[in-house]
Amino acid sequence: MKIDALVAEITEITDLTKKLEVLNYMEQQSAFMLWQLEDEQRIDEDSRDY
């Protein structure tokens, strides 16, 4: 639901340059969050192997 609300808010931005900046920022943040999650998952799986 929060993501849908964020998408709706971004959709309302009329300045295309600003919209692109926001979307690029969101892409960077989500990629970093995904990397962190995958790293935590690897650490968790490695700890189970010992």
Side-chain angles (χ1 to χ4, degrees), residues 10-41:
I10 293 169
T11 301
E12 293 177 15
I13 299 173
T14 56
D15 182 336
L16 293 179
T17 302
K18 189 70 162 177
K19 186 181 282 192
L20 184 59
E21 289 173 358
V22 169
L23 290 172
N24 282 331
Y25 175 78
M26 294 304 300
E27 182 179 27
Q28 292 170 354
Q29 293 301 316
S30 63
F32 179 70
M33 292 173 68
L34 181 59
W35 173 81
Q36 283 184 311
L37 184 59
E38 289 171 342
D39 194 45
E40 288 177 21
Q41 188 175 26

PDB file of all heavy atoms in Angstrom, residues 10-41:
ATOM      1  N   ILE A  10       4.220  10.207  -7.116  1.00  0.00           N
ATOM      2  CA  ILE A  10       5.179  10.492  -8.184  1.00  0.00           C
ATOM      3  C   ILE A  10       4.437  10.779  -9.489  1.00  0.00           C
ATOM      4  O   ILE A  10       4.843  11.645 -10.267  1.00  0.00           O
ATOM      5  CB  ILE A  10       6.176   9.327  -8.346  1.00  0.00           C
ATOM      6  CG1 ILE A  10       7.077   9.226  -7.109  1.00  0.00           C
ATOM      7  CG2 ILE A  10       7.021   9.506  -9.597  1.00  0.00           C
ATOM      8  CD1 ILE A  10       7.920   7.973  -7.045  1.00  0.00           C
ATOM      9  N   THR A  11       3.349  10.085  -9.731  1.00  0.00           N
ATOM     10  CA  THR A  11       2.560  10.290 -10.946  1.00  0.00           C
ATOM     11  C   THR A  11       2.036  11.717 -11.028  1.00  0.00           C
ATOM     12  O   THR A  11       1.896  12.267 -12.121  1.00  0.00           O
ATOM     13  CB  THR A  11       1.391   9.280 -10.984  1.00  0.00           C
ATOM     14  OG1 THR A  11       1.932   7.957 -10.948  1.00  0.00           O
ATOM     15  CG2 THR A  11       0.563   9.433 -12.239  1.00  0.00           C
ATOM     16  N   GLU A  12       1.784  12.331  -9.884  1.00  0.00           N
ATOM     17  CA  GLU A  12       1.248  13.691  -9.855  1.00  0.00           C
ATOM     18  C   GLU A  12       2.288  14.757 -10.191  1.00  0.00           C
ATOM     19  O   GLU A  12       1.935  15.906 -10.454  1.00  0.00           O
ATOM     20  CB  GLU A  12       0.637  13.978  -8.485  1.00  0.00           C
ATOM     21  CG  GLU A  12      -0.600  13.148  -8.204  1.00  0.00           C
ATOM     22  CD  GLU A  12      -1.157  13.392  -6.814  1.00  0.00           C
ATOM     23  OE1 GLU A  12      -0.767  14.390  -6.170  1.00  0.00           O
ATOM     24  OE2 GLU A  12      -1.974  12.573  -6.373  1.00  0.00           O
ATOM     25  N   ILE A  13       3.571  14.399 -10.203  1.00  0.00           N
ATOM     26  CA  ILE A  13       4.617  15.369 -10.539  1.00  0.00           C
ATOM     27  C   ILE A  13       4.515  15.697 -12.024  1.00  0.00           C
ATOM     28  O   ILE A  13       4.542  14.800 -12.865  1.00  0.00           O
ATOM     29  CB  ILE A  13       6.017  14.808 -10.199  1.00  0.00           C
ATOM     30  CG1 ILE A  13       6.138  14.515  -8.702  1.00  0.00           C
ATOM     31  CG2 ILE A  13       7.102  15.788 -10.653  1.00  0.00           C
ATOM     32  CD1 ILE A  13       7.423  13.797  -8.321  1.00  0.00           C
ATOM     33  N   THR A  14       4.386  16.969 -12.332  1.00  0.00           N
ATOM     34  CA  THR A  14       4.222  17.366 -13.730  1.00  0.00           C
ATOM     35  C   THR A  14       5.544  17.754 -14.382  1.00  0.00           C
ATOM     36  O   THR A  14       5.686  17.657 -15.594  1.00  0.00           O
ATOM     37  CB  THR A  14       3.235  18.538 -13.855  1.00  0.00           C
ATOM     38  OG1 THR A  14       3.689  19.608 -13.030  1.00  0.00           O
ATOM     39  CG2 THR A  14       1.842  18.114 -13.424  1.00  0.00           C
ATOM     40  N   ASP A  15       6.506  18.193 -13.590  1.00  0.00           N
ATOM     41  CA  ASP A  15       7.824  18.569 -14.118  1.00  0.00           C
ATOM     42  C   ASP A  15       8.589  17.287 -14.440  1.00  0.00           C
ATOM     43  O   ASP A  15       8.960  16.523 -13.551  1.00  0.00           O
ATOM     44  CB  ASP A  15       8.562  19.407 -13.069  1.00  0.00           C
ATOM     45  CG  ASP A  15       9.929  19.877 -13.545  1.00  0.00           C
ATOM     46  OD1 ASP A  15      10.519  19.242 -14.439  1.00  0.00           O
ATOM     47  OD2 ASP A  15      10.411  20.887 -12.990  1.00  0.00           O
ATOM     48  N   LEU A  16       8.809  17.040 -15.737  1.00  0.00           N
ATOM     49  CA  LEU A  16       9.431  15.785 -16.157  1.00  0.00           C
ATOM     50  C   LEU A  16      10.852  15.628 -15.632  1.00  0.00           C
ATOM     51  O   LEU A  16      11.270  14.522 -15.291  1.00  0.00           O
ATOM     52  CB  LEU A  16       9.409  15.660 -17.673  1.00  0.00           C
ATOM     53  CG  LEU A  16       8.023  15.491 -18.300  1.00  0.00           C
ATOM     54  CD1 LEU A  16       8.149  15.403 -19.815  1.00  0.00           C
ATOM     55  CD2 LEU A  16       7.307  14.281 -17.738  1.00  0.00           C
ATOM     56  N   THR A  17      11.596  16.722 -15.542  1.00  0.00           N
ATOM     57  CA  THR A  17      12.955  16.652 -15.004  1.00  0.00           C
ATOM     58  C   THR A  17      12.919  16.220 -13.546  1.00  0.00           C
ATOM     59  O   THR A  17      13.682  15.352 -13.122  1.00  0.00           O
ATOM     60  CB  THR A  17      13.669  18.016 -15.141  1.00  0.00           C
ATOM     61  OG1 THR A  17      13.683  18.383 -16.518  1.00  0.00           O
ATOM     62  CG2 THR A  17      15.083  17.956 -14.609  1.00  0.00           C
ATOM     63  N   LYS A  18      12.017  16.808 -12.782  1.00  0.00           N
ATOM     64  CA  LYS A  18      11.869  16.466 -11.362  1.00  0.00           C
ATOM     65  C   LYS A  18      11.410  15.014 -11.214  1.00  0.00           C
ATOM     66  O   LYS A  18      11.910  14.280 -10.370  1.00  0.00           O
ATOM     67  CB  LYS A  18      10.876  17.422 -10.704  1.00  0.00           C
ATOM     68  CG  LYS A  18      10.801  17.295  -9.231  1.00  0.00           C
ATOM     69  CD  LYS A  18      12.073  17.819  -8.618  1.00  0.00           C
ATOM     70  CE  LYS A  18      11.862  18.121  -7.152  1.00  0.00           C
ATOM     71  NZ  LYS A  18      13.112  18.555  -6.526  1.00  0.00           N
ATOM     72  N   LYS A  19      10.472  14.598 -12.053  1.00  0.00           N
ATOM     73  CA  LYS A  19       9.966  13.223 -11.997  1.00  0.00           C
ATOM     74  C   LYS A  19      11.104  12.239 -12.269  1.00  0.00           C
ATOM     75  O   LYS A  19      11.228  11.224 -11.593  1.00  0.00           O
ATOM     76  CB  LYS A  19       8.834  13.022 -13.002  1.00  0.00           C
ATOM     77  CG  LYS A  19       8.157  11.660 -12.893  1.00  0.00           C
ATOM     78  CD  LYS A  19       7.055  11.496 -13.928  1.00  0.00           C
ATOM     79  CE  LYS A  19       5.823  12.244 -13.497  1.00  0.00           C
ATOM     80  NZ  LYS A  19       4.629  11.901 -14.298  1.00  0.00           N
ATOM     81  N   LEU A  20      11.935  12.542 -13.261  1.00  0.00           N
ATOM     82  CA  LEU A  20      13.069  11.677 -13.588  1.00  0.00           C
ATOM     83  C   LEU A  20      14.047  11.613 -12.415  1.00  0.00           C
ATOM     84  O   LEU A  20      14.546  10.536 -12.081  1.00  0.00           O
ATOM     85  CB  LEU A  20      13.770  12.189 -14.848  1.00  0.00           C
ATOM     86  CG  LEU A  20      14.913  11.343 -15.378  1.00  0.00           C
ATOM     87  CD1 LEU A  20      14.437   9.934 -15.722  1.00  0.00           C
ATOM     88  CD2 LEU A  20      15.526  11.995 -16.596  1.00  0.00           C
ATOM     89  N   GLU A  21      14.311  12.750 -11.792  1.00  0.00           N
ATOM     90  CA  GLU A  21      15.203  12.775 -10.628  1.00  0.00           C
ATOM     91  C   GLU A  21      14.650  11.902  -9.500  1.00  0.00           C
ATOM     92  O   GLU A  21      15.380  11.141  -8.873  1.00  0.00           O
ATOM     93  CB  GLU A  21      15.394  14.203 -10.126  1.00  0.00           C
ATOM     94  CG  GLU A  21      16.219  15.070 -11.043  1.00  0.00           C
ATOM     95  CD  GLU A  21      16.254  16.523 -10.600  1.00  0.00           C
ATOM     96  OE1 GLU A  21      15.604  16.871  -9.593  1.00  0.00           O
ATOM     97  OE2 GLU A  21      16.941  17.312 -11.274  1.00  0.00           O
ATOM     98  N   VAL A  22      13.370  12.023  -9.247  1.00  0.00           N
ATOM     99  CA  VAL A  22      12.731  11.243  -8.179  1.00  0.00           C
ATOM    100  C   VAL A  22      12.798   9.754  -8.501  1.00  0.00           C
ATOM    101  O   VAL A  22      13.153   8.936  -7.648  1.00  0.00           O
ATOM    102  CB  VAL A  22      11.266  11.691  -7.970  1.00  0.00           C
ATOM    103  CG1 VAL A  22      10.522  10.727  -7.062  1.00  0.00           C
ATOM    104  CG2 VAL A  22      11.217  13.109  -7.408  1.00  0.00           C
ATOM    105  N   LEU A  23      12.482   9.403  -9.732  1.00  0.00           N
ATOM    106  CA  LEU A  23      12.490   7.991 -10.114  1.00  0.00           C
ATOM    107  C   LEU A  23      13.903   7.405 -10.085  1.00  0.00           C
ATOM    108  O   LEU A  23      14.096   6.266  -9.651  1.00  0.00           O
ATOM    109  CB  LEU A  23      11.846   7.805 -11.484  1.00  0.00           C
ATOM    110  CG  LEU A  23      10.338   8.046 -11.509  1.00  0.00           C
ATOM    111  CD1 LEU A  23       9.827   8.035 -12.948  1.00  0.00           C
ATOM    112  CD2 LEU A  23       9.598   7.030 -10.662  1.00  0.00           C
ATOM    113  N   ASN A  24      14.888   8.172 -10.521  1.00  0.00           N
ATOM    114  CA  ASN A  24      16.275   7.713 -10.444  1.00  0.00           C
ATOM    115  C   ASN A  24      16.698   7.506  -9.000  1.00  0.00           C
ATOM    116  O   ASN A  24      17.360   6.514  -8.669  1.00  0.00           O
ATOM    117  CB  ASN A  24      17.230   8.697 -11.136  1.00  0.00           C
ATOM    118  CG  ASN A  24      17.204   8.563 -12.633  1.00  0.00           C
ATOM    119  OD1 ASN A  24      16.941   7.494 -13.169  1.00  0.00           O
ATOM    120  ND2 ASN A  24      17.478   9.655 -13.320  1.00  0.00           N
ATOM    121  N   TYR A  25      16.313   8.430  -8.135  1.00  0.00           N
ATOM    122  CA  TYR A  25      16.627   8.300  -6.715  1.00  0.00           C
ATOM    123  C   TYR A  25      15.967   7.047  -6.121  1.00  0.00           C
ATOM    124  O   TYR A  25      16.603   6.278  -5.413  1.00  0.00           O
ATOM    125  CB  TYR A  25      16.164   9.547  -5.956  1.00  0.00           C
ATOM    126  CG  TYR A  25      16.350   9.438  -4.470  1.00  0.00           C
ATOM    127  CD1 TYR A  25      17.604   9.608  -3.895  1.00  0.00           C
ATOM    128  CD2 TYR A  25      15.274   9.146  -3.624  1.00  0.00           C
ATOM    129  CE1 TYR A  25      17.781   9.499  -2.521  1.00  0.00           C
ATOM    130  CE2 TYR A  25      15.446   9.036  -2.261  1.00  0.00           C
ATOM    131  CZ  TYR A  25      16.700   9.215  -1.717  1.00  0.00           C
ATOM    132  OH  TYR A  25      16.867   9.097  -0.361  1.00  0.00           O
ATOM    133  N   MET A  26      14.709   6.844  -6.454  1.00  0.00           N
ATOM    134  CA  MET A  26      13.993   5.668  -5.939  1.00  0.00           C
ATOM    135  C   MET A  26      14.640   4.376  -6.451  1.00  0.00           C
ATOM    136  O   MET A  26      14.735   3.395  -5.731  1.00  0.00           O
ATOM    137  CB  MET A  26      12.515   5.713  -6.338  1.00  0.00           C
ATOM    138  CG  MET A  26      11.745   6.850  -5.711  1.00  0.00           C
ATOM    139  SD  MET A  26      11.827   6.866  -3.910  1.00  0.00           S
ATOM    140  CE  MET A  26      11.122   5.293  -3.522  1.00  0.00           C
ATOM    141  N   GLU A  27      15.077   4.376  -7.698  1.00  0.00           N
ATOM    142  CA  GLU A  27      15.737   3.204  -8.267  1.00  0.00           C
ATOM    143  C   GLU A  27      17.037   2.904  -7.515  1.00  0.00           C
ATOM    144  O   GLU A  27      17.319   1.749  -7.178  1.00  0.00           O
ATOM    145  CB  GLU A  27      16.027   3.433  -9.746  1.00  0.00           C
ATOM    146  CG  GLU A  27      16.665   2.241 -10.424  1.00  0.00           C
ATOM    147  CD  GLU A  27      16.931   2.483 -11.895  1.00  0.00           C
ATOM    148  OE1 GLU A  27      17.114   3.645 -12.297  1.00  0.00           O
ATOM    149  OE2 GLU A  27      16.960   1.493 -12.640  1.00  0.00           O
ATOM    150  N   GLN A  28      17.819   3.943  -7.230  1.00  0.00           N
ATOM    151  CA  GLN A  28      19.063   3.751  -6.488  1.00  0.00           C
ATOM    152  C   GLN A  28      18.793   3.210  -5.084  1.00  0.00           C
ATOM    153  O   GLN A  28      19.474   2.295  -4.619  1.00  0.00           O
ATOM    154  CB  GLN A  28      19.834   5.066  -6.396  1.00  0.00           C
ATOM    155  CG  GLN A  28      20.388   5.548  -7.712  1.00  0.00           C
ATOM    156  CD  GLN A  28      20.935   6.959  -7.626  1.00  0.00           C
ATOM    157  OE1 GLN A  28      20.814   7.642  -6.605  1.00  0.00           O
ATOM    158  NE2 GLN A  28      21.543   7.416  -8.704  1.00  0.00           N
ATOM    159  N   GLN A  29      17.815   3.786  -4.418  1.00  0.00           N
ATOM    160  CA  GLN A  29      17.504   3.362  -3.057  1.00  0.00           C
ATOM    161  C   GLN A  29      16.991   1.923  -3.024  1.00  0.00           C
ATOM    162  O   GLN A  29      17.351   1.146  -2.150  1.00  0.00           O
ATOM    163  CB  GLN A  29      16.478   4.311  -2.413  1.00  0.00           C
ATOM    164  CG  GLN A  29      17.018   5.695  -2.164  1.00  0.00           C
ATOM    165  CD  GLN A  29      18.227   5.704  -1.256  1.00  0.00           C
ATOM    166  OE1 GLN A  29      18.268   5.034  -0.244  1.00  0.00           O
ATOM    167  NE2 GLN A  29      19.228   6.464  -1.632  1.00  0.00           N
ATOM    168  N   SER A  30      16.128   1.581  -3.976  1.00  0.00           N
ATOM    169  CA  SER A  30      15.579   0.223  -3.993  1.00  0.00           C
ATOM    170  C   SER A  30      16.662  -0.794  -4.341  1.00  0.00           C
ATOM    171  O   SER A  30      16.686  -1.894  -3.776  1.00  0.00           O
ATOM    172  CB  SER A  30      14.397   0.108  -4.952  1.00  0.00           C
ATOM    173  OG  SER A  30      14.801   0.375  -6.280  1.00  0.00           O
ATOM    174  N   ALA A  31      17.590  -0.428  -5.226  1.00  0.00           N
ATOM    175  CA  ALA A  31      18.694  -1.335  -5.555  1.00  0.00           C
ATOM    176  C   ALA A  31      19.568  -1.562  -4.328  1.00  0.00           C
ATOM    177  O   ALA A  31      19.990  -2.695  -4.051  1.00  0.00           O
ATOM    178  CB  ALA A  31      19.524  -0.772  -6.706  1.00  0.00           C
ATOM    179  N   PHE A  32      19.821  -0.502  -3.567  1.00  0.00           N
ATOM    180  CA  PHE A  32      20.623  -0.636  -2.350  1.00  0.00           C
ATOM    181  C   PHE A  32      19.903  -1.497  -1.316  1.00  0.00           C
ATOM    182  O   PHE A  32      20.504  -2.373  -0.690  1.00  0.00           O
ATOM    183  CB  PHE A  32      20.951   0.742  -1.763  1.00  0.00           C
ATOM    184  CG  PHE A  32      21.753   0.668  -0.497  1.00  0.00           C
ATOM    185  CD1 PHE A  32      23.078   0.253  -0.531  1.00  0.00           C
ATOM    186  CD2 PHE A  32      21.188   1.001   0.721  1.00  0.00           C
ATOM    187  CE1 PHE A  32      23.831   0.177   0.643  1.00  0.00           C
ATOM    188  CE2 PHE A  32      21.924   0.922   1.893  1.00  0.00           C
ATOM    189  CZ  PHE A  32      23.248   0.516   1.855  1.00  0.00           C
ATOM    190  N   MET A  33      18.603  -1.279  -1.154  1.00  0.00           N
ATOM    191  CA  MET A  33      17.825  -2.074  -0.196  1.00  0.00           C
ATOM    192  C   MET A  33      17.806  -3.544  -0.603  1.00  0.00           C
ATOM    193  O   MET A  33      17.916  -4.434   0.250  1.00  0.00           O
ATOM    194  CB  MET A  33      16.404  -1.523  -0.067  1.00  0.00           C
ATOM    195  CG  MET A  33      16.343  -0.171   0.599  1.00  0.00           C
ATOM    196  SD  MET A  33      14.681   0.547   0.558  1.00  0.00           S
ATOM    197  CE  MET A  33      13.817  -0.572   1.640  1.00  0.00           C
ATOM    198  N   LEU A  34      17.680  -3.811  -1.889  1.00  0.00           N
ATOM    199  CA  LEU A  34      17.695  -5.181  -2.388  1.00  0.00           C
ATOM    200  C   LEU A  34      19.048  -5.822  -2.131  1.00  0.00           C
ATOM    201  O   LEU A  34      19.135  -6.965  -1.688  1.00  0.00           O
ATOM    202  CB  LEU A  34      17.355  -5.209  -3.880  1.00  0.00           C
ATOM    203  CG  LEU A  34      17.316  -6.580  -4.546  1.00  0.00           C
ATOM    204  CD1 LEU A  34      16.289  -7.498  -3.866  1.00  0.00           C
ATOM    205  CD2 LEU A  34      17.015  -6.447  -6.026  1.00  0.00           C
ATOM    206  N   TRP A  35      20.121  -5.083  -2.379  1.00  0.00           N
ATOM    207  CA  TRP A  35      21.468  -5.593  -2.124  1.00  0.00           C
ATOM    208  C   TRP A  35      21.632  -5.939  -0.643  1.00  0.00           C
ATOM    209  O   TRP A  35      22.161  -6.997  -0.308  1.00  0.00           O
ATOM    210  CB  TRP A  35      22.515  -4.555  -2.549  1.00  0.00           C
ATOM    211  CG  TRP A  35      23.904  -4.954  -2.159  1.00  0.00           C
ATOM    212  CD1 TRP A  35      24.725  -5.816  -2.816  1.00  0.00           C
ATOM    213  CD2 TRP A  35      24.618  -4.529  -0.997  1.00  0.00           C
ATOM    214  NE1 TRP A  35      25.914  -5.949  -2.139  1.00  0.00           N
ATOM    215  CE2 TRP A  35      25.870  -5.159  -1.013  1.00  0.00           C
ATOM    216  CE3 TRP A  35      24.318  -3.660   0.061  1.00  0.00           C
ATOM    217  CZ2 TRP A  35      26.826  -4.961  -0.018  1.00  0.00           C
ATOM    218  CZ3 TRP A  35      25.264  -3.469   1.052  1.00  0.00           C
ATOM    219  CH2 TRP A  35      26.503  -4.112   1.009  1.00  0.00           C
ATOM    220  N   GLN A  36      21.155  -5.056   0.248  1.00  0.00           N
ATOM    221  CA  GLN A  36      21.244  -5.319   1.691  1.00  0.00           C
ATOM    222  C   GLN A  36      20.472  -6.580   2.057  1.00  0.00           C
ATOM    223  O   GLN A  36      20.951  -7.408   2.838  1.00  0.00           O
ATOM    224  CB  GLN A  36      20.680  -4.137   2.492  1.00  0.00           C
ATOM    225  CG  GLN A  36      21.591  -2.964   2.585  1.00  0.00           C
ATOM    226  CD  GLN A  36      20.997  -1.886   3.465  1.00  0.00           C
ATOM    227  OE1 GLN A  36      19.830  -1.504   3.310  1.00  0.00           O
ATOM    228  NE2 GLN A  36      21.789  -1.387   4.386  1.00  0.00           N
ATOM    229  N   LEU A  37      19.281  -6.716   1.519  1.00  0.00           N
ATOM    230  CA  LEU A  37      18.447  -7.877   1.830  1.00  0.00           C
ATOM    231  C   LEU A  37      19.102  -9.157   1.341  1.00  0.00           C
ATOM    232  O   LEU A  37      19.133 -10.163   2.062  1.00  0.00           O
ATOM    233  CB  LEU A  37      17.071  -7.703   1.200  1.00  0.00           C
ATOM    234  CG  LEU A  37      16.032  -8.774   1.499  1.00  0.00           C
ATOM    235  CD1 LEU A  37      15.787  -8.888   2.995  1.00  0.00           C
ATOM    236  CD2 LEU A  37      14.743  -8.470   0.771  1.00  0.00           C
ATOM    237  N   GLU A  38      19.643  -9.139   0.125  1.00  0.00           N
ATOM    238  CA  GLU A  38      20.313 -10.321  -0.411  1.00  0.00           C
ATOM    239  C   GLU A  38      21.551 -10.654   0.408  1.00  0.00           C
ATOM    240  O   GLU A  38      21.845 -11.831   0.652  1.00  0.00           O
ATOM    241  CB  GLU A  38      20.686 -10.103  -1.879  1.00  0.00           C
ATOM    242  CG  GLU A  38      19.475 -10.091  -2.790  1.00  0.00           C
ATOM    243  CD  GLU A  38      19.798  -9.652  -4.207  1.00  0.00           C
ATOM    244  OE1 GLU A  38      20.869  -9.040  -4.438  1.00  0.00           O
ATOM    245  OE2 GLU A  38      18.960  -9.920  -5.092  1.00  0.00           O
ATOM    246  N   ASP A  39      22.283  -9.632   0.879  1.00  0.00           N
ATOM    247  CA  ASP A  39      23.457  -9.849   1.709  1.00  0.00           C
ATOM    248  C   ASP A  39      23.056 -10.484   3.044  1.00  0.00           C
ATOM    249  O   ASP A  39      23.695 -11.430   3.509  1.00  0.00           O
ATOM    250  CB  ASP A  39      24.183  -8.528   1.938  1.00  0.00           C
ATOM    251  CG  ASP A  39      25.583  -8.702   2.498  1.00  0.00           C
ATOM    252  OD1 ASP A  39      26.317  -9.578   1.985  1.00  0.00           O
ATOM    253  OD2 ASP A  39      25.940  -7.976   3.439  1.00  0.00           O
ATOM    254  N   GLU A  40      21.995  -9.973   3.653  1.00  0.00           N
ATOM    255  CA  GLU A  40      21.504 -10.552   4.909  1.00  0.00           C
ATOM    256  C   GLU A  40      21.081 -12.002   4.709  1.00  0.00           C
ATOM    257  O   GLU A  40      21.331 -12.855   5.569  1.00  0.00           O
ATOM    258  CB  GLU A  40      20.327  -9.735   5.444  1.00  0.00           C
ATOM    259  CG  GLU A  40      20.713  -8.387   6.003  1.00  0.00           C
ATOM    260  CD  GLU A  40      19.510  -7.582   6.451  1.00  0.00           C
ATOM    261  OE1 GLU A  40      18.437  -8.168   6.705  1.00  0.00           O
ATOM    262  OE2 GLU A  40      19.633  -6.346   6.537  1.00  0.00           O
ATOM    263  N   GLN A  41      20.458 -12.277   3.573  1.00  0.00           N
ATOM    264  CA  GLN A  41      20.023 -13.635   3.282  1.00  0.00           C
ATOM    265  C   GLN A  41      21.230 -14.562   3.133  1.00  0.00           C
ATOM    266  O   GLN A  41      21.231 -15.677   3.649  1.00  0.00           O
ATOM    267  CB  GLN A  41      19.177 -13.651   2.013  1.00  0.00           C
ATOM    268  CG  GLN A  41      18.512 -14.978   1.736  1.00  0.00           C
ATOM    269  CD  GLN A  41      17.586 -14.907   0.532  1.00  0.00           C
ATOM    270  OE1 GLN A  41      17.764 -14.094  -0.364  1.00  0.00           O
ATOM    271  NE2 GLN A  41      16.597 -15.763   0.514  1.00  0.00           N
TER     272      GLN A  41
END
